[in-house]
DNA sequence: CTAGGATCCTGTCAGC
DNA sequence: TGCTGACAGGATCCTA
């Protein structure tokens, strides 16, 4: 579930706790969740490529972490820092039933929880991170892609639905189901429009909307809970504060008052205002 | 090559 | 209460 803003939130939070700390031991509770042989070493940097998190150690090895749909990372040192898939159990005793891997740092354990086991932690050589099959295919993020580039990309997939296209990380990187719906709503574009019908102006607006919704989310700590349980108690609240359509079905559109509805597009639950987002344009 | 659907896995919830 | 099917903030694999 975590999309780019959530992973960025995790990156910023974890950096405060595990940079310069030593990874001393790895406990694997689910074999599928950890790829490669466990390593030890001191954390030098934490990076993010789209929705993937990279923890670089000082010995040429890195841990690549992808949370996919239900992954969570919970650091439990002097303070607890939790982010990723939202749930009520960020304050649970750990490990719990969904804990798949425990990374033991000399300052405290980092739990990788993942209900559905789609996510993973993978050991890779630091100098080969960008050559990884997943990482190397990632497109640019919305902030560095130009409207012209984006428009050209859409034209290459003229028969695809616009929502499916902006969810494809090899076309534009970072959007997931929440921010795709929010960006399309902000741009007044129906998710089932074919890419060939998207005008240059609409492409520009959609790109700018994608930046805006993700900027807002990063600024508010992501839409998932990112909780300093023993510190200030704040949590990510994008969905509460900023979301206009995601999980708002049945509620009035903030622009026109029409009821937001939920439909299915490209196999994903999709939220739209049927009045602001029209399929057929004149 | 593209486009669309099934699939990985566990848990929860609505409807009978 | 118990069962069943739908669905879930992602990405890949298979098919036509």
């Amino acid at each position: 579930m975590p999309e780019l803003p959530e992973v960025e939130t995790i990156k910023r939070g974890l950096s405060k706790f595990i940079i310069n700390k030593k990874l001393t031991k790895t406990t694997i509770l689910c074999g599928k969740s950890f790829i490669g042989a466990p390593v030890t070493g001191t954390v030098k940097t934490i990076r993010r490529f789209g929705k993937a998190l990279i923890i670089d150690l000082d010995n040429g090895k890195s841990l690549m972490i992808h949370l996919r749909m239900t992954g969570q990372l919970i650091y439990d040192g002097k303070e607890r820092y939790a982010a990723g898939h939202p749930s009520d159990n960020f304050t649970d005793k750990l490990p719990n039933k969904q804990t798949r891997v425990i990374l033991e740092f000399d300052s405290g354990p980092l739990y990788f929880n993942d209900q559905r086991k789609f996510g993973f932690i993978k050991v890779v050589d630091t100098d080969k991170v960008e050559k990884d099959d997943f990482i190397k295919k990632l497109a640019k993020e919305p902030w560095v892609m130009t409207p012209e580039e984006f428009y050209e990309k859409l034209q290459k997939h003229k028969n695809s639905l616009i929502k499916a296209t902006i969810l494809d990380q090899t076309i534009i990187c970072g959007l997931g189901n929440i921010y795709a719906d929010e960006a399309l709503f902000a741009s007044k574009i129906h998710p089932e429009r074919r890419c060939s019908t998207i005008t240059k102006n609409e492409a520009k607006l959609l790109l700018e909307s994608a930046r805006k919704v993700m900027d807002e989310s990063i600024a508010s700590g992501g839409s998932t809970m990112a909780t300093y349980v023993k510190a200030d108690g704040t949590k990510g609240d994008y969905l509460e504060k900023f979301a206009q359509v995601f999980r708002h079905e049945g509620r009035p559109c903030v622009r026109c008052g029409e009821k937001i509805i939920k439909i299915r597009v490209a196999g994903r639950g999709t939220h739209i205002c049927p009045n602001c987002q029209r399929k057929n344009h004149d």
Side-chain angles (χ1 to χ4, degrees), chain A residues 88-141:
Chain A
D88 301 330
N89 60 7
F90 276 168
T91 54
D92 272 8
K93 261 190 206 154
L94 291 168
N96 65 24
K97 212 167 94 179
Q98 299 180 356
T99 303
R100 308 303 179 201
V101 178
I102 308 170
L103 299 174
E104 306 268 4
F105 291 89
D106 52 12
S107 57
L110 177 64
Y111 298 93
F112 174 64
N113 289 359
D114 186 13
Q115 177 186 113
R116 292 173 73 181
K117 301 183 181 175
F118 292 166
F120 58 87
I121 299 177
K122 183 171 153 187
V123 178
V124 294
D125 292 334
T126 302
D127 60 5
K128 295 201 180 75
V129 166
E130 289 168 66
K131 297 186 183 94
D132 177 88
D133 281 345
F134 174 75
I135 304 280
K136 74 182 180 195
K137 284 188 291 194
L138 294 176
K140 289 181 182 173
E141 295 180 1

Side-chain angles (χ1 to χ4, degrees), chain A residues 30-277:
Chain A
C30 170
K32 186 177 188 293
S33 304
F34 195 94
I35 302 161
V39 289
T40 59
T42 300
V43 177
K44 273 170 66 183
T45 49
I46 305 183
R47 294 181 285 164
R48 181 185 62 70
F49 292 85
K51 303 174 191 174
L53 192 73
I54 309 290
I55 298 176
D56 297 309
L57 304 178
D58 62 353
N59 55 9
K61 294 290 183 183
S62 297
L63 297 175
M64 172 179 165
I65 304 177
H66 201 308
L67 302 175
R68 291 281 181 96
M69 295 281 266
T70 54
Q72 310 170 312
L73 286 172
I74 307 176
Y75 173 78
D76 200 22
K78 280 182 189 164
E79 300 176 26
R80 179 176 280 193
Y81 179 79
H85 183 71
S87 71
D88 301 330
N89 60 7
F90 276 168
T91 54
D92 272 8
K93 261 190 206 154
L94 291 168
N96 65 24
K97 212 167 94 179
Q98 299 180 356
T99 303
R100 308 303 179 201
V101 178
I102 308 170
L103 299 174
E104 306 268 4
F105 291 89
D106 52 12
S107 57
L110 177 64
Y111 298 93
F112 174 64
N113 289 359
D114 186 13
Q115 177 186 113
R116 292 173 73 181
K117 301 183 181 175
F118 292 166
F120 58 87
I121 299 177
K122 183 171 153 187
V123 178
V124 294
D125 292 334
T126 302
D127 60 5
K128 295 201 180 75
V129 166
E130 289 168 66
K131 297 186 183 94
D132 177 88
D133 281 345
F134 174 75
I135 304 280
K136 74 182 180 195
K137 284 188 291 194
L138 294 176
K140 289 181 182 173
E141 295 180 1
W143 299 276
V144 293
M145 187 178 288
T146 67
E148 293 74 24
E149 264 180 290
F150 183 47
Y151 179 76
E152 291 304 317
K153 291 226 177 207
L154 296 185
Q155 297 320 303
K156 283 189 188 155
H157 301 268
K158 55 188 165 67
N159 292 318
S160 292
L161 306 182
I162 184 65
K163 174 156 177 182
T165 306
I166 62 174
L167 285 174
D168 186 335
Q169 305 298 298
T170 70
I171 294 171
I172 186 163
C173 181
L175 292 164
N177 210 31
I178 296 177
Y179 304 107
D181 280 5
E182 293 298 327
L184 287 165
F185 171 79
S187 316
K188 301 188 182 178
I189 296 172
H190 192 288
E192 288 176 310
R193 298 252 312 270
R194 300 277 162 186
C195 291
S196 58
T197 72
I198 305 294
T199 65
K200 283 187 181 174
N201 279 342
E202 284 177 322
K204 181 166 184 279
L205 181 58
L206 182 53
L207 185 65
E208 286 166 353
S209 299
R211 292 176 190 161
K212 182 166 177 284
V213 296
M214 293 205 290
D215 275 336
E216 278 178 347
S217 184
I218 291 169
S220 71
S223 58
T224 55
M225 290 185 247
T227 309
Y228 296 86
V229 172
K230 293 174 187 168
D232 65 6
T234 55
K235 62 178 186 178
D237 53 3
Y238 175 83
L239 284 181
E240 267 171 53
K241 270 195 196 163
F242 300 109
Q244 318 251 273
V245 286
F246 196 84
R247 293 190 192 145
H248 281 213
E249 59 267 36
R251 290 164 59 177
C253 169
V254 293
R255 279 193 300 246
C256 73
E258 184 86 11
K259 268 192 182 176
I260 302 300
I261 60 169
K262 186 174 179 185
I263 59 176
R264 212 158 178 79
V265 180
R268 311 295 301 273
T270 300
H271 311 74
I272 63 165
C273 169
N275 183 41
C276 296
Q277 294 164 276

